Amino acid sequence: MQYTGSKYIGAYKNGRMEGNAEYILPTDTRYVGEMKDGMFHGDGTLFFPSGSRFDAIWEKGLVVSVSLSSPTWTHPEKSPLATMTVEMASITP
């Protein structure tokens, strides 16, 4: 899972992104967390240029559990440059 214009800071295993790492998409959205077999896998956080963040547990690149400590969002982040779009509904206390 590497996009043109992205930057990966971390280790490789068998030629694939593996371990704790930082992955910066061309949109300046950053993933900081665990990677396995070239995909987001384990605990990880997406940091968006707007200042929003998304804490989750990932399995083979997909979200399997959202952290309850992740801040609520009022604006979903979308980019035509990135295949990944993450949206969450905001709940205002």
Side-chain angles (χ1 to χ4, degrees), residues 9-69:
I9 303 165
Y12 289 87
K13 182 178 178 182
N14 297 325
R16 303 196 123 198
M17 298 176 281
E18 187 97 12
N20 288 319
E22 181 174 355
Y23 187 85
I24 305 165
L25 294 159
T27 60
D28 289 328
T29 297
R30 294 182 309 121
Y31 171 81
V32 177
E34 299 173 54
M35 304 282 287
K36 183 177 180 182
D37 200 27
M39 295 180 275
F40 301 166
H41 192 89
D43 290 328
T45 302
L46 285 172
F47 295 93
F48 296 94
S50 66
S52 296
R53 65 184 278 166
F54 179 71
D55 302 312
I57 297 174
W58 305 75
E59 188 172 310
K60 297 181 181 179
L62 301 174
V63 173
V64 294
S65 177
V66 176
S67 172
L68 296 177
S69 65

